[in-house]
Amino acid sequence: MTSESGETTLREAADARGFDIGAAVAATPLRNERGYRRILREQFNAVTAENAMKMGPLRPEPGVYDFADADAIVDFGTTYDMTVRGHTLVWHNQTPTWFEPWTYTDDQLRTFLRDHVHTVAGRYSGRVDAWDVVNEAVDDDGTMRETVWYDAMGEQYLDLAFEWANEVAPDADLYYNDYGADAVNEKSDAIYDLVERLLERDVPIDGVGLQLHALGDHPDPESIAKNVRRFQELGLDVQITEMDVAFHRDDPPADAAERQAEYYREIVETCLDIGVETLVVWGVTDASSWIRNFKDFGERYTGDPLLFDDRNSPKPAHAAVLDALSND
Ligand code: G3I
């Protein structure tokens, strides 16, 4: 799709080489801001729901699903012929405020989660192309994270979640997604072992999502490549699912915009080199970046981690991604 200004867009460059360049989308600016919608449909060929498909936002009250925001994002993606990524069916965060796990038995929690996965993945069957089925199941030290789902079902909750998703959305690609595991490190080693176990148990997993929130420390692209390759060698697809690039707020480099652009360029080039065909950035413009409003992250990191600035103008990072996608 050519931009209103007639300049080549990320989307055109990505389409030309069969690459998905995506953005996480928030429902409020999608509804209210024309500029946000324009950037999204012109510059990106993939969308991920930033929050709208999580259990909490979807389920405001017991027994009630509110699909309005999620539908708006899926409809936008479908209308503009974009790949739609669903995020996320099973997570320990952003569960509904009314959900009190201790009032359920383990069996009831299993039924609760099964019904959730069946309802949500089933609703979007044929429209959501890829699901982050399970998000962040491994803790920072590489042990299994002790979540409500793990406590009730042990590691088997991952097997079940993938199987339930596969039952109702057989055409969707199913991913395990995590942060801090982009390069080869203790956590990505543990995730590698985990997905190996899932594959040994014939769990229907298609791929691994590496989030790549490069906040302060920017993982070495060579180590990312090495990490990606080992998952690919297991027969899995690998996607970059939530990229953003920030610096420590107390010591940002003088040339932050250029350093940010270079890192984006290196990552896109790495993806193209090693057969990663999807890269999603975690927001459309800096104004909507989660970093600004999440816990104390806004105090710790620079709040302009994306490809478009607060005035919807493309940044050097945009030019770098466009350049990398345009080169052979
Ligand atoms: O919408 C409510 C609003 O009604 C309420 O008044 C306000 C008060 O705090 O909160 C609003 O919800 C916030 C929501 O973002 C929408 O802005 C939540 O508090 C806030 O916790 C939530 O943060 C999201 C975060 O996940 C939750 O863990 C971020 O937007 C979202 O970008 C972030 O995304 C995660 C991925 O899902 C998984 N990987 C890491 C990534 C970044 O943390």
Side-chain angles (χ1 to χ4, degrees), residues 133-138 142 144 155 158-159 162 174-178 181 186-210 227-238:
V133 176
V134 178
N135 195 42
E136 301 171 7
V138 173
M144 291 304 292
E155 186 176 303
L158 285 105
D159 306 35
F162 279 93
L174 306 180
Y175 288 77
Y176 174 77
N177 192 52
D178 216 324
E186 193 178 26
K187 185 164 176 178
S188 61
D189 286 350
I191 292 170
Y192 181 86
D193 293 344
L194 170 65
V195 297
E196 242 190 345
R197 295 195 295 277
L198 297 180
L199 290 168
E200 273 161 20
R201 300 198 292 263
D202 285 328
V203 172
I205 176 172
D206 296 294
V208 172
L210 305 178
N227 190 35
V228 167
R229 283 208 182 91
R230 63 176 169 169
F231 286 108
Q232 290 172 329
E233 281 161 14
L234 291 176
L236 295 170
D237 184 46
V238 179

Side-chain angles (χ1 to χ4, degrees), residues 24 26 28 49-51 54 57 87-88 91 93-94 132 135-136 177-179 211 213 215 241-242 244 282 288-291 293-295 297:
T28 303
E50 182 178 1
N51 286 301
K54 294 170 181 171
H87 174 83
T88 173
W91 195 22
N93 264 336
Q94 280 179 290
D132 291 330
N135 195 42
E136 301 171 7
N177 192 52
D178 216 324
Y179 70 87
Q211 297 184 6
H213 291 289
L215 309 184
T241 52
E242 307 187 11
D244 41 22
W282 205 240
S288 60
S289 170
W290 67 289
I291 293 174
N293 305 311
F294 188 72
K295 298 182 182 167
F297 278 48

Side-chain angles (χ1 to χ4, degrees), residues 30-296:
L30 184 70
R31 284 210 180 83
N32 301 332
E33 296 175 25
R34 213 174 65 87
Y36 184 97
R37 287 195 296 275
R38 180 178 56 74
I39 293 176
L40 188 58
R41 68 170 185 267
E42 286 183 354
Q43 300 282 344
F44 297 96
N45 57 9
V47 285
T48 301
E50 182 178 1
N51 286 301
M53 289 185 171
K54 294 170 181 171
M55 189 184 277
L58 275 181
R59 305 181 64 171
E61 292 169 40
V64 175
Y65 282 85
D66 178 353
F67 287 108
D69 287 354
D71 283 354
I73 293 168
V74 173
D75 289 347
F76 188 91
T78 310
T79 301
Y80 292 105
D81 197 22
M82 304 164 96
T83 300
V84 180
R85 297 194 85 265
H87 174 83
T88 173
L89 294 169
V90 183
W91 195 22
H92 57 282
N93 264 336
Q94 280 179 290
T95 51
T97 47
W98 52 263
F99 175 64
E100 295 172 346
W102 55 92
T103 63
Y104 298 81
T105 65
D106 290 351
D107 273 353
Q108 285 170 332
L109 283 168
R110 177 185 159 125
T111 303
F112 180 94
L113 191 62
R114 186 197 63 202
D115 291 349
H116 180 79
V117 173
H118 276 169
T119 303
V120 179
R123 179 182 182 88
Y124 295 110
S125 180
R127 289 189 289 161
V128 165
D129 301 286
W131 272 108
D132 291 330
V133 176
V134 178
N135 195 42
E136 301 171 7
V138 173
D139 221 329
D140 294 349
D141 63 0
T143 58
M144 291 304 292
R145 192 185 290 276
E146 295 204 3
T147 69
V148 51
W149 315 119
Y150 186 79
D151 289 348
M153 289 166 266
E155 186 176 303
Q156 203 208 5
Y157 87 86
L158 285 105
D159 306 35
L160 292 169
F162 279 93
E163 280 156 17
W164 293 328
N166 194 45
E167 281 165 12
V168 295
D171 297 331
D173 291 329
L174 306 180
Y175 288 77
Y176 174 77
N177 192 52
D178 216 324
Y179 70 87
D182 316 295
V184 175
N185 57 32
E186 193 178 26
K187 185 164 176 178
S188 61
D189 286 350
I191 292 170
Y192 181 86
D193 293 344
L194 170 65
V195 297
E196 242 190 345
R197 295 195 295 277
L198 297 180
L199 290 168
E200 273 161 20
R201 300 198 292 263
D202 285 328
V203 172
I205 176 172
D206 296 294
V208 172
L210 305 178
Q211 297 184 6
L212 196 48
H213 291 289
L215 309 184
D217 302 318
H218 301 164
D220 172 26
E222 274 182 34
S223 182
I224 294 176
K226 198 169 163 197
N227 190 35
V228 167
R229 283 208 182 91
R230 63 176 169 169
F231 286 108
Q232 290 172 329
E233 281 161 14
L234 291 176
L236 295 170
D237 184 46
V238 179
Q239 302 187 337
I240 304 296
T241 52
E242 307 187 11
M243 184 170 178
D244 41 22
V245 182
F247 298 89
H248 292 292
R249 191 173 275 287
D250 57 7
D251 189 24
D255 57 347
E258 288 70 33
R259 295 265 292 269
Q260 181 183 62
E262 274 320 295
Y263 191 66
Y264 270 109
R265 178 197 298 279
E266 280 184 85
I267 295 300
V268 173
E269 287 175 351
T270 302
C271 287
L272 296 172
D273 271 358
I274 59 178
V276 169
E277 295 174 340
T278 297
L279 185 152
V280 179
V281 293
W282 205 240
V284 178
T285 70
D286 287 339
S288 60
S289 170
W290 67 289
I291 293 174
R292 296 188 182 188
N293 305 311
F294 188 72
K295 298 182 182 167
D296 64 349

